Amino acid sequence: MPSFESEKLQETLLDLLRSQEREKQLRDENAAILAGMSAMAGANSKRQVFNGLLSVLRKYIGFEHALVLTREDENAPLQELVTTCRFFESSTWPIGNTFVRSMNGESIALFAPNQVSEFQRLPQEMLQYCQSVLLTGVKVSSGDALLLFLHSERGQFSPRCRRVLERFRPLLERAIIDIDYRERLQSLVTARTQELIHSQQRFKDFAKTVGDWFWEVDTDLRFTYISSPNLANHVVDNDSILDIFDEQETLKKKLKVKFGMKEPFEDLEWQLPESEGGLWISFSGTPYFSKQGKLLGYRGTAKDITNRKKRLFELQEARKQAESANKAKSQFLAMMSHEIRTPLNAVLGFMDTLAESGLNKEQARWVNQMDQSAQLLLTIINDILDLSRIESGNFELYNAEMHLDESINLVVSQLHEQAVKKNIALSVNISPSVPKKMVGDKNRISQVMFNLIGNAIKFTNQGSVSIDVKRDNQYVSIAVTDTGIGISQEAQRNLFNPFIQADGSITRRYGGTGLGLAISQHLIDKMNGKITLESTLNKGSCFTVYIPITQSIDESQLYEPVIENSLDHSLSILLAEDSNTNQLVAKLMLEKRGHQVVIANNGKEAIEILENNQHQFDIVLMDISMPVLDGLQATKQLRQKNINIPIIALTANAMHSDQVEYRKAGMDGFLAKPILTPELNAMLNKYQALATTE
């Protein structure tokens, strides 16, 4: 019995000791919690709150680093809020089952974190700190939060550590909620501060751009405010704003009128005296009123616009230079037109004479092809030299009845020799469905075909070039297909722009101006057709032209027909021409048609001949560019002498602006060099008919 009582006493004493230990532990924990809360209450940042929490927990849990993760909604990943390890800063974490359990309030100790999905994708520099992990979840106002304790060695967190977390949960929740709140508050303050800074800078920039000087005056026009006493080095020491402009009476009157009408004004310009730099100032202002609508005065700005005036002057000077350059370009083009057309006139004239000199069939075919080539060359020259028409798109089409197959075959025959030299098969396939006759500008169509087929041969080194012509509903489609170098997709986007070729290497190897495709597309557009391109680099290209089929046309739209000299009346013609070759060509062409020709070598000779024998001649063919006296001056002098004989300009200067000048000088018509048979016959027939009726 005594033994039993002794054991009972011993157990009671042990229970008492355990109770005392638990009470001491609770007192210590409560003291720690109170100390932690006190530290957090005095904290100035989320870092201080976090450090205060860790200093309490570090007495009961052995960890190396700690980390708080948060998310704003259930679909977002967890992101670092605060940490003691720099490797975890700004980190983002996926959410798996382990994190979900912890966010639901469970405290979890991980002894092998590398086998848990949330940690498996961490980089090695982060994973080395996560050999042991203790985590628990907390609900915060912005969403969910996780608190993780980390250790670089395994097995560091026992079940006792989880119980500590449970006992300290109120402190944990308070700390993490406080950290989250401070973070959101700091983000909001930072954002608002940044907005304020931007707003302040914005208004400063606005003030700088609106004006260099701000002013305000009362109803007596006396200054009540000026932002600076100096305005572009001009000292403002006047009481009244009008006194500033004593030397600028015109501006002063304008301001008085504006002030008197109580209306705003903008950009009244004022130039400072040369002694103050001669700067230009722009004044703007507006009236301001009280709530009752009473005028209180005027407010406005003044801005230094010297640089603007300088740029305006430079732009005006640049415009003058551009106009001067454009005039020089026009003069150059006119000169080039004359220089190229003059020898071409002889070529065409002699070919025309040669064609009627009794050639055999084969020789006549050769001359015909030469003539067609010269005609096509003339068309191309017209486009290149008349640059204003090319830039403005003001091409004129001369439509007439034509044989499309003949035009295409002619171009192919002209380019056949080039294909033979490169050992390239050149073939034409014209479908029977293509109309035998159609209305169109055969020279322009030949120009387009010459460009496309010529390019196909130029850029094909082996294989073939084929031309397939067929009817496609209301269009004739002409497909030019080659097995050449092809064109890249990038180059195709700019290929039809003027002076553009596929790329630099092609330009160096094959040459060319790059103008042909741009002109071709413009011509086909004028015909209400289109050009398409399909190409593969290093395999070949196919350009397809679609031309509308027109089989009848109003006569007024046709190119002037060849008018045969059906009248018997012979004209007496004075030819004023300084070139011996052109004298010979024109005389042959006119005499072949039964007319008498007298030649003057310059304008002075023409005047002398006409003064003595004006009634002897029916018309004058007057060259423009001649020595001693040119055709324009000669015509003006003849008109001043009341010599009214018809005068026809005969010149290689074929631009529209030139023709206007010829009309102003008193000329009655225009015949361009090289002289074309249809135009010559039409002109002669007109004056033969006039001579017959007189």
Side-chain angles (χ1 to χ4, degrees):
M1 194 67 179
S3 153
F4 173 76
E5 291 177 354
S6 176
E7 290 177 4
K8 189 69 173 175
L9 182 59
Q10 296 253 356
E11 290 178 3
T12 301
L13 289 174
L14 287 173
D15 289 338
L16 180 59
L17 289 173
R18 291 191 189 100
S19 297
Q20 290 175 345
E21 289 177 359
R22 283 196 298 271
E23 288 177 2
K24 183 178 181 304
Q25 182 180 0
L26 289 173
R27 284 196 301 272
D28 292 343
E29 290 177 356
N30 289 335
I33 291 173
L34 291 174
M37 288 185 174
S38 177
M40 287 185 287
N44 296 320
S45 65
K46 68 176 183 180
R47 172 66 60 184
Q48 291 181 355
V49 173
F50 191 47
N51 290 339
L53 172 65
L54 297 183
S55 64
V56 173
L57 296 178
R58 200 178 294 277
K59 299 176 182 179
Y60 305 97
I61 302 174
F63 60 88
E64 294 177 338
H65 292 288
L67 171 68
V68 175
L69 305 175
T70 61
R71 67 174 181 178
E72 294 185 359
D73 58 71
E74 294 181 355
N75 298 320
L78 289 165
Q79 293 183 319
E80 179 265 338
L81 177 63
V82 62
T83 182
T84 61
C85 181
R86 63 184 180 86
F87 292 107
F88 293 95
E89 292 176 356
S90 302
S91 59
T92 301
W93 296 66
I95 298 175
N97 292 332
T98 303
F99 279 5
V100 171
R101 286 166 48 203
S102 183
M103 285 187 292
N104 287 332
E106 184 178 351
S107 298
I108 302 173
L110 301 178
F111 298 97
N114 58 350
Q115 298 181 13
V116 177
S117 61
E118 287 88 335
F119 294 85
Q120 288 177 345
R121 296 182 181 179
L122 291 181
Q124 186 59 39
E125 61 184 11
M126 295 170 63
L127 190 59
Q128 64 180 341
Y129 294 100
C130 303
Q131 298 302 308
S132 295
V133 177
L134 177 65
L135 66 159
T136 190
V138 175
K139 294 292 182 181
V140 294
S141 59
S142 61
D144 297 305
L146 276 182
L147 175 61
L148 287 78
F149 297 96
L150 312 175
H151 204 287
S152 59
E153 296 182 4
R154 290 180 175 273
Q156 295 300 309
F157 302 118
S158 63
R160 188 182 69 82
C161 296
R162 288 185 297 167
R163 291 194 294 271
V164 171
L165 289 182
E166 292 301 325
R167 291 198 300 272
F168 280 82
R169 179 165 294 278
L171 181 62
L172 294 177
E173 292 178 349
R174 163 69 187 277
I176 295 176
I177 290 172
D178 195 7
I179 292 171
D180 178 69
Y181 172 76
R182 288 173 182 269
E183 173 67 15
R184 288 187 292 111
L185 184 61
Q186 182 62 41
S187 298
L188 184 61
V189 170
T190 301
R192 293 291 184 267
T193 302
Q194 197 64 35
E195 289 177 4
L196 181 59
I197 293 173
H198 287 167
S199 180
Q200 290 174 339
Q201 186 61 45
R202 184 183 301 118
F203 281 108
K204 286 181 181 178
D205 294 340
F206 285 162
K208 288 180 181 178
T209 56
V210 167
D212 299 324
W213 194 64
F214 298 89
W215 55 267
E216 182 182 87
V217 296
D218 57 21
T219 53
D220 294 326
L221 305 183
R222 296 186 176 277
F223 283 111
T224 56
Y225 171 78
I226 54 175
S227 59
S228 171
N230 296 312
L231 172 58
N233 298 324
H234 178 80
V235 178
V236 180
D237 54 3
N238 311 87
D239 292 332
S240 172
I241 191 171
L242 294 178
D243 294 340
I244 300 176
F245 310 106
D246 282 339
E247 298 180 2
Q248 300 281 334
E249 285 299 326
T250 302
L251 179 58
K252 191 173 183 178
K253 289 179 180 178
K254 287 183 180 180
L255 278 173
K256 283 183 177 179
V257 171
K258 294 294 184 182
F259 288 144
M261 298 178 67
K262 301 179 182 180
E263 55 181 38
F265 56 89
E266 291 183 358
D267 299 329
L268 294 181
E269 294 183 358
W270 169 43
Q271 186 176 20
L272 296 177
E274 289 296 329
S275 59
E276 298 182 16
L279 302 180
W280 283 90
I281 309 298
S282 172
F283 268 86
S284 298
T286 185
Y288 69 99
F289 304 87
S290 67
K291 293 181 180 181
Q292 292 75 30
K294 180 181 177 181
L295 178 67
L296 298 179
Y298 298 85
R299 293 171 177 155
T301 63
K303 185 173 180 62
D304 185 349
I305 59 169
T306 306
N307 289 334
R308 188 203 308 173
K309 298 288 283 188
K310 182 180 178 182
R311 286 195 297 270
L312 181 60
F313 175 77
E314 291 172 349
L315 286 174
Q316 292 172 342
E317 288 297 309
R319 180 179 177 179
K320 291 179 182 178
Q321 293 176 7
E323 290 174 349
S324 176
N326 189 56
K327 184 177 180 181
K329 179 196 71 175
S330 298
Q331 293 173 346
F332 171 76
L333 292 177
M335 180 189 68
M336 289 300 297
S337 174
H338 183 274
E339 295 301 319
I340 294 175
R341 286 171 180 272
T342 298
L344 192 57
N345 178 56
V347 171
L348 284 170
F350 281 124
M351 281 195 301
D352 184 61
T353 303
L354 183 62
E356 299 181 3
S357 63
L359 303 176
N360 61 39
K361 187 175 181 180
E362 185 175 12
Q363 289 173 330
R365 182 169 60 85
W366 293 344
V367 172
N368 180 59
Q369 288 198 5
M370 291 167 60
D371 182 68
Q372 293 286 345
S373 298
Q375 297 287 353
L376 182 58
L377 177 61
L378 179 61
T379 301
I380 295 172
I381 289 172
N382 287 339
D383 290 337
I384 294 176
L385 295 183
D386 195 356
L387 189 60
S388 61
R389 286 195 303 158
I390 294 175
E391 292 174 346
S392 65
N394 188 25
F395 285 100
E396 293 296 332
L397 297 177
Y398 298 98
N399 294 317
E401 192 173 74
M402 61 171 289
H403 296 268
L404 182 63
D405 56 343
E406 292 181 2
S407 297
I408 294 175
N409 286 326
L410 174 63
V411 173
V412 171
S413 64
Q414 292 170 341
L415 296 173
H416 179 73
E417 189 64 27
Q418 295 182 21
V420 171
K421 289 181 180 179
K422 297 186 72 173
N423 197 25
I424 296 170
L426 180 61
S427 62
V428 181
N429 179 29
I430 300 177
S431 170
S433 63
V434 175
K436 296 297 181 183
K437 295 181 180 180
M438 58 185 289
V439 171
D441 189 332
K442 67 176 182 179
N443 286 334
R444 297 297 192 182
I445 292 175
S446 297
Q447 179 183 351
V448 173
M449 290 297 99
F450 195 90
N451 179 265
L452 295 181
I453 299 172
N455 279 351
I457 295 172
K458 181 193 297 185
F459 298 118
T460 301
N461 297 319
Q462 60 181 4
S464 63
V465 174
S466 62
I467 301 94
D468 296 292
V469 187
K470 61 183 180 180
R471 182 165 186 158
D472 187 351
N473 295 324
Q474 298 302 312
Y475 292 86
V476 171
S477 68
I478 308 170
V480 180
T481 308
D482 64 64
T483 59
I485 61 175
I487 305 167
S488 68
Q489 291 295 322
E490 181 179 357
Q492 290 181 36
R493 288 193 288 270
N494 298 316
L495 193 62
F496 288 96
N497 292 337
F499 310 108
I500 297 294
Q501 289 200 349
D503 58 36
S505 62
I506 290 179
T507 302
R508 287 193 297 272
R509 181 175 178 184
Y510 296 99
T513 65
L515 191 61
L517 285 178
I519 294 178
S520 297
Q521 186 177 53
H522 192 86
L523 289 173
I524 297 301
D525 287 344
K526 290 286 286 184
M527 297 175 192
N528 296 318
K530 63 179 180 179
I531 299 180
T532 63
L533 168 62
E534 294 181 4
S535 183
T536 303
L537 199 60
N538 300 321
K539 290 187 178 181
S541 304
C542 178
F543 287 86
T544 304
V545 177
Y546 295 88
I547 302 174
I549 298 174
T550 306
Q551 293 179 300
S552 63
I553 194 168
D554 186 346
E555 292 296 323
S556 64
Q557 296 178 349
L558 294 177
Y559 182 82
E560 289 191 39
V562 175
I563 301 175
E564 298 297 336
N565 186 9
S566 59
L567 299 175
D568 294 333
H569 183 80
S570 175
L571 295 175
S572 178
I573 302 172
L574 176 62
L575 173 64
E577 169 66 67
D578 64 304
S579 168
N580 293 331
T581 301
N582 285 334
Q583 288 175 359
L584 178 59
V585 170
K587 188 174 182 180
L588 282 172
M589 296 179 74
L590 294 170
E591 290 181 344
K592 184 181 67 173
R593 289 163 172 78
H595 306 292
Q596 291 82 42
V597 180
V598 174
I599 294 176
N601 293 301
N602 54 61
K604 183 179 180 182
E605 288 186 12
I607 293 174
E608 292 173 352
I609 293 172
L610 290 171
E611 282 181 329
N612 299 321
N613 305 284
Q614 62 173 304
H615 299 295
Q616 176 185 338
F617 299 98
D618 296 303
I619 59 172
V620 178
L621 297 182
M622 183 77 75
D623 186 26
I624 298 298
S625 300
M626 293 184 293
V628 183
L629 188 65
D630 63 55
L632 283 177
Q633 294 302 320
T635 300
K636 291 178 181 178
Q637 292 184 25
L638 287 171
R639 297 312 186 209
Q640 290 172 357
K641 296 175 184 294
N642 294 320
I643 298 176
N644 297 319
I645 185 172
I647 301 175
I648 309 301
L650 183 65
T651 179
N653 296 330
M655 294 185 179
H656 178 71
S657 58
D658 297 320
Q659 298 180 40
V660 173
E661 291 299 318
Y662 305 153
R663 291 285 183 183
K664 289 181 179 179
M667 292 182 166
D668 300 278
F670 172 83
L671 196 60
K673 294 180 182 179
I675 301 172
L676 302 179
T677 299
E679 296 177 359
L680 177 62
N681 288 341
M683 185 273 296
L684 292 174
N685 188 64
K686 172 183 176 181
Y687 288 99
Q688 279 182 288
L690 291 174
T692 303
T693 58
E694 291 178 354

